[in-house]
Amino acid sequence: MKQLKSLRWGLGALVALPLLAACSDSLSNIGESVQPGQDKVTGQITYVQFAASTVASPEVNSSSQEALLGELVDAQYGTVRGEYITQVRTAAGFKIDSLPAGGGIDSVSLRLFYQQRAGNALAPINIEVYEVAKGFTGSSVSVKDLENYRKTAQLLTSKTIVPGRDAIKLKDGTDSAFYINIPLRNASGVYSDLGQRILNLSRSNPEYFLTQESFGKNVLGGLLVTPATGSGYLLEIAQTELILHYHHPARLKPDSIVKAQQPMVSTLLTPRLNGISATDLSALTAPSSDYTYIKGPAGVTTELTLSAADLQRLARKAPAPASGMTARDFFGRVWMLADAPLSLRVDNPAQLTLNPSSFMVLLESDSVRSFFGSATPSVRAGYSYISDRYQVQHPVYNFRNVAQLIMRHLAAHAKYTTDGWTVTEPLKVQIYPVSYNTSQGVTLTLQPNLFPNFVRLSKKPETLRVGFVSSLIQQQ
């Protein structure tokens, strides 16, 4: 009897095999002419068929610093509305840089920095800002609205803005940013005492500022920013800054008065919660034999299923394991699948107002929440996959190698009996739009793409068929 020799992914050359239109399960030995005489690699190719469906969740993964503000109406695929709560960052040992003259804060304002916008720039939006009760902890998963927080919150201001008119450009070297400035004052023009309270507590109770948790429990729970009225425009807020304005004597000229600002900012480390709602999704979630959909940020995505029957058909090409060898020892070490790409074809309707996301991530359906709930989501072979960048001239989302994902599933769920390998658990994966940036192969950011996006994917069988090359090394 031949002894099986362990191998870790030694068939990198067997990649990018063409997908055949026929659903034949024809098998053939591959590559024996180029193998050493004593170590023979036997290879077989098996085609499996993914099934696709559109699934919807009331939750939107929003584990990013970005937030949506406003309401964007899309006549074809429904309305998206965004509001949010954020805490602001306080460093340990926080204190006002220079002692304000008279010990007072002159005014306080909110700056909303944004990086993307959509809709009619002249559409007015009435923005309300509330102070959220102390103890707010945030969540990486959105809710439909923040009404429960508004009931216990204190209104700090209400201001109508026109984004195209009121946006302020801030230039830093060659980079530019835009922000909306919102003074926190009531209808009578009286500024909120929030800034003064923060200053007073920093003097009387400096221990409140030692950690972000202590700050949220004792100083400021958070700020709720919401579009009270108005529609037709949506901002993707990149950062929220609470600015304390004050004045103090100049250091070198005590008779001169200097105006100063003390910013407190939102970061990835500050608790936050997005309120995101989407309407008119029935056309997307209705069963379809032709298409599946991904719409963000609306909780609508595509789920791919590889049936237990197809997985078992794939696994039954494997020989019996050695005595005492577990499935985890066998799959991926002794018997394995070579690299196999999965390409999902985009078939968007004409005159689409929402753009496809530049990148998608593919991961198992039951790991979506934990993946996006991580402080630093990252792709890991066998667990999650990032697509190649989407190109309009080549409308596909290409995931270069899903073989390790299949292998991990077989290692966890395949069992060997006298009848051969059996698999009873299907594999389910979902696709999500993400913002993704790398530099020299290192991931800089990977987070949910909250900016409105849309994709319609073809369900033609040939687009969901993948060929897997299975192999093992036989030692004489």
Side-chain angles (χ1 to χ4, degrees), residues 45-226:
I45 185 168
T46 305
Y47 289 90
V48 296
Q49 185 72 46
F50 282 88
S53 60
T54 303
V55 296
S57 169
E59 300 176 342
V60 174
N61 298 296
S62 54
S63 55
S64 65
Q65 188 176 336
E66 283 72 27
L68 295 181
L69 179 63
E71 186 174 86
L72 184 65
V73 179
D74 184 284
Q76 192 170 14
Y77 293 112
T79 297
V80 174
R81 182 179 185 276
E83 58 184 346
Y84 69 98
I85 298 173
T86 185
Q87 208 176 84
V88 289
R89 183 70 175 157
T90 172
F94 166 85
K95 63 180 180 179
I96 298 294
D97 293 337
S98 300
L99 187 65
I105 297 296
D106 300 329
S107 62
V108 60
S109 63
L110 206 61
R111 288 181 181 174
L112 311 179
F113 287 85
Y114 63 88
Q115 54 189 26
Q116 296 190 83
R117 60 185 186 179
N120 180 6
L122 298 180
I125 307 173
N126 180 253
I127 296 177
E128 292 181 345
V129 181
Y130 293 82
E131 181 180 346
V132 175
K134 299 178 183 66
F136 170 76
T137 56
S139 173
S140 62
V141 177
S142 74
V143 296
K144 285 188 174 181
D145 63 64
L146 302 174
E147 185 62 29
N148 288 338
Y149 290 91
R150 189 162 24 251
K151 290 176 181 177
T152 58
Q154 176 187 353
L155 179 64
L156 298 178
T157 195
S158 175
K159 178 178 175 60
T160 297
I161 67 166
V162 176
R165 179 196 66 196
D166 297 330
I168 300 171
K169 186 175 183 179
L170 181 65
K171 193 168 182 64
D172 181 14
T174 59
D175 297 326
S176 296
F178 291 88
Y179 69 90
I180 301 292
N181 188 70
I182 302 177
L184 299 187
R185 58 190 177 197
N186 62 23
S188 301
V190 177
Y191 279 96
S192 166
D193 67 347
L194 175 60
Q196 189 65 46
R197 282 186 279 128
I198 291 175
L199 173 62
N200 293 346
L201 287 172
S202 71
R203 293 172 176 173
S204 63
N205 298 88
E207 69 276 11
Y208 291 171
F209 296 79
L210 292 178
T211 66
Q212 191 69 35
E213 181 181 11
S214 178
F215 179 83
K217 287 182 177 180
N218 299 288
V219 182
L220 174 64
L223 297 167
L224 166 58
V225 187
T226 180

Side-chain angles (χ1 to χ4, degrees), residues 382-398:
Y383 294 84
S384 54
Y385 298 84
I386 194 77
S387 70
D388 293 340
R389 179 183 287 275
Y390 180 80
Q391 304 289 340
V392 175
Q393 62 271 26
H394 185 54
V396 297
Y397 284 104
N398 184 51

Side-chain angles (χ1 to χ4, degrees), residues 282-392:
S282 58
L284 304 182
T285 56
S288 169
S289 58
D290 299 316
Y291 305 107
T292 63
Y293 299 90
I294 300 173
K295 182 182 178 182
V300 174
T301 193
T302 290
E303 183 171 71
L304 303 178
T305 301
L306 188 56
S307 69
D310 256 5
L311 285 163
Q312 179 166 301
R313 187 164 57 86
L314 187 62
R316 288 208 168 183
K317 307 308 175 186
S323 177
M325 181 177 288
T326 67
R328 292 186 184 276
D329 294 329
F330 182 77
F331 290 104
R333 291 177 170 85
V334 174
W335 186 90
M336 63 210 66
L337 300 174
D339 294 356
L342 173 62
S343 295
L344 305 178
R345 182 161 296 280
V346 175
D347 187 7
N348 274 349
Q351 299 178 339
L352 183 69
T353 58
L354 300 181
N355 294 323
S357 179
S358 295
F359 294 96
M360 295 282 182
V361 70
L362 179 150
L363 62 161
E364 288 179 288
S365 300
D366 59 5
S367 66
V368 171
R369 174 171 279 202
S370 60
F371 179 84
F372 287 112
S374 169
T376 55
S378 60
V379 294
R380 188 158 58 116
Y383 294 84
S384 54
Y385 298 84
I386 194 77
S387 70
D388 293 340
R389 179 183 287 275
Y390 180 80
Q391 304 289 340
V392 175

